[in-house]
DNA sequence: CCAAAAGTGTTAATCTTACACCCATGA
DNA sequence: TCATGGGTGTAAGATTAACACTTTTGG
């Protein structure tokens, strides 16, 4: 009768950052069997008394030393894994971080690191699929909500924002059109300061206007 | 150590139909404690050996007598419920059906029925929130994917399709513009037959072109 | 002074919206 | 013949897409 109360729930998180003009995801070496040493997404078993949000916090704290980053639920993956101690359901989340702003401290124990996303990433379980799922979700979300606040430093140039969009959507933009489009959305504010040391002309710096960023939502149909 | 393998996973499904020009959702009377007799979404505990898809099928078979209807995963709700026998995580799905086409046979045991969605619906647990979550998800999905194949009879008029869109998106359309817009999307085919008995002029009947319906996807950004 | 990166406007084409009347049919 | 519901086109306005040169600055 209570057989059904015999399932484990794991929570895994795709933590993305935008670093060196690339989208990267946090991976760790698995600390115990099965697949000990294999490359996986950070994850952890849910304790019966915890909420999903609490496990998320623990996973974040453990692996990047900051539990207060933006995460959003992705999906539950219910394939019947053959885990030695029984049935596991994995509930996945994705998160977006900025290495400096979020004061990321990578866990050395399990060799936590950000890797760029390509064929060679190759995680165990179906964790590659989860990354794929997350990437698509973010792409879709970008169509009606702004992106960047959680990934960029608090001050950034228009070209940096364009690079981010270009990278996450996998396509090139026309500088002039991108600029106009983003500025029309009206969630940026130009600040008086101007770019750090760099070759060439100095760029205008922008910040997100927190309220407008939060409330921006494009209508469809 | 194995304490974490002591969680129950329930699967609940929001099954929507479009009936009498209204969006309705399947609700049942809860068959056991807690809240025995309360109005809930159809749901069931996951057995350790089952996949999520298998429980979905069981829930569907039991409540509407047809396990082969379109469902899609919504979200895992992980609030720490106080369930007498332990911790439960609910993973919710939504499904779309047509009463005739899908040969819906409502389960009489638990008084399964479709009810229209308004303030008075009032389900136990957070099942109202799940319906809300599902409604929003469908609305968003409609912005880039077609809707109707699973809800309408296989042949339908343009005005019926407009009514469905109007109902699910909660807004009115201009007949001419709606028609043009849908036809441009090019997933409908006009068939030679003409509408059933009705007052007034007979309407052209349409069907969805399965391939085009499936592949239609509007680009954003 | 020149290489590097930032910034800027206009036009044509496309898409969206608003809008009102005629058509076919059954009662 | 008339009430009912089905069907149709156009023009103005808004949005998007394509396009290349000038500016600023540090080396």
């Amino acid at each position: 009768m209570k057989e059904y109360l015999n399932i484990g729930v794991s929570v895994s998180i795709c933590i993305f950052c935008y670093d060196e003009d690339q989208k990267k995801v946090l991976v760790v070496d698995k600390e115990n069997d099965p697949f000990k040493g294999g490359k996986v997404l950070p994850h952890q078993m849910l304790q019966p008394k915890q909420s999903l949000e609490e496990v998320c916090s623990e996973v974040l704290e453990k692996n990047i030393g900051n539990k207060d980053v933006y995460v959003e639920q992705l999906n539950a993956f219910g394939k019947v894994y053959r885990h030695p101690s029984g049935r596991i359901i994995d509930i996945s989340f994705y998160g977006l971080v900025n290495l400096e702003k979020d004061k990321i401290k990578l866990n050395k124990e399990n060799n936590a690191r950000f890797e760029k996303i390509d064929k060679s990433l190759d995680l165990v379980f179906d964790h590659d699929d989860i990354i794929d799922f997350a990437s698509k979700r973010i792409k879709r979300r970008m169509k009606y909500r702004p992106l960047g606040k959680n990934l960029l430093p608090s001050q950034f140039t228009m070209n940096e924002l364009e690079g981010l969009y270009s990278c996450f959507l996998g396509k090139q933009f026309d500088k002039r059109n991108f600029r106009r489009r983003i500025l029309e959305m009206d969630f940026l504010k130009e600040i008086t300061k101007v770019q750090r040391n760099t070759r060439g002309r100095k760029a205008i710096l922008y910040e997100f206007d927190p309220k407008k960023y939060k409330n921006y939502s494009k209508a469809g149909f």
Side-chain angles (χ1 to χ4, degrees), chain A:
Chain A
M1 167 60 185
K2 284 200 187 169
E3 193 209 346
Y4 60 74
L5 278 174
N6 190 22
I7 295 175
V9 171
S10 78
V11 166
S12 53
I13 315 188
C14 272
I15 302 165
F16 292 104
C17 73
Y18 180 63
D19 180 42
E20 298 172 314
D21 302 330
Q22 293 208 308
K23 182 165 75 164
K24 296 184 179 177
V25 68
L26 187 72
V27 296
V28 303
D29 292 338
K30 198 162 183 305
E31 290 171 288
N32 36 42
D33 281 319
F35 302 113
K36 184 170 176 174
K39 204 195 286 184
V40 290
L41 292 176
H43 63 282
Q44 187 173 311
M45 299 304 297
L46 176 75
Q47 300 295 323
K49 60 181 186 308
Q50 290 180 309
S51 69
L52 291 170
E53 291 66 33
E54 284 162 0
V55 208
C56 278
S57 294
E58 286 190 16
V59 173
L60 294 168
E61 181 64 45
K62 171 173 174 181
N63 292 287
I64 59 173
N66 179 352
K67 63 184 176 50
D68 297 313
V69 305
Y70 173 79
V71 298
E72 191 159 303
Q73 192 177 132
L74 261 185
N75 206 44
F77 293 91
K79 254 186 245 167
V80 186
Y81 283 139
R82 239 144 294 288
H83 188 281
S85 31
R87 175 63 190 290
I88 307 286
I89 291 276
D90 184 73
I91 298 179
S92 60
F93 290 74
Y94 74 91
L96 304 171
V97 302
N98 177 268
L99 299 181
E100 288 82 38
K101 204 170 59 179
D102 292 313
K103 305 196 173 67
I104 301 301
K105 286 183 213 60
L106 295 172
N107 184 357
K108 286 180 186 148
E109 308 286 306
N110 59 10
N111 190 23
R113 64 212 180 264
F114 282 94
E115 291 197 4
K116 62 182 201 290
I117 297 161
D118 57 21
K119 294 274 153 56
S120 72
L121 189 54
D122 198 28
L123 307 186
V124 307
F125 298 125
D126 53 357
H127 285 188
D128 284 314
D129 297 339
I130 298 181
I131 294 174
D132 217 57
F133 198 97
S135 297
K136 288 199 181 113
R137 174 75 65 90
I138 293 167
K139 250 177 154 167
R140 228 185 306 139
R141 193 185 151 84
M142 288 170 76
K143 291 178 185 169
Y144 58 98
R145 300 272 300 151
L147 184 78
K149 201 170 184 343
N150 305 287
L151 291 162
L152 292 176
S154 55
Q155 306 188 338
F156 51 89
T157 70
M158 192 56 87
N159 286 334
E160 284 164 351
L161 187 63
E162 186 188 323
L164 172 71
Y165 268 74
S166 180
C167 169
F168 275 68
L169 286 168
K171 72 181 203 191
Q172 286 305 109
F173 290 94
D174 175 282
K175 264 207 294 188
R176 283 166 287 193
N177 293 338
F178 180 81
R179 222 163 254 264
R180 188 177 23 249
R181 215 161 155 187
I182 290 286
L183 288 174
E184 268 164 12
M185 292 177 189
D186 190 40
F187 49 70
L188 289 188
K189 55 183 182 199
E190 192 175 323
I191 50 180
T192 48
K193 271 193 296 177
V194 137
Q195 207 185 15
R196 55 196 166 282
N197 288 352
T198 171
R199 198 68 203 295
R201 178 172 172 178
K202 283 171 177 6
I204 296 169
L205 287 174
Y206 294 88
E207 284 179 357
F208 291 106
D209 177 312
K211 256 194 211 130
K212 290 180 176 167
Y213 184 90
K214 192 152 170 282
N215 295 129
Y216 179 80
S217 177
K218 199 177 188 168
F221 224 96

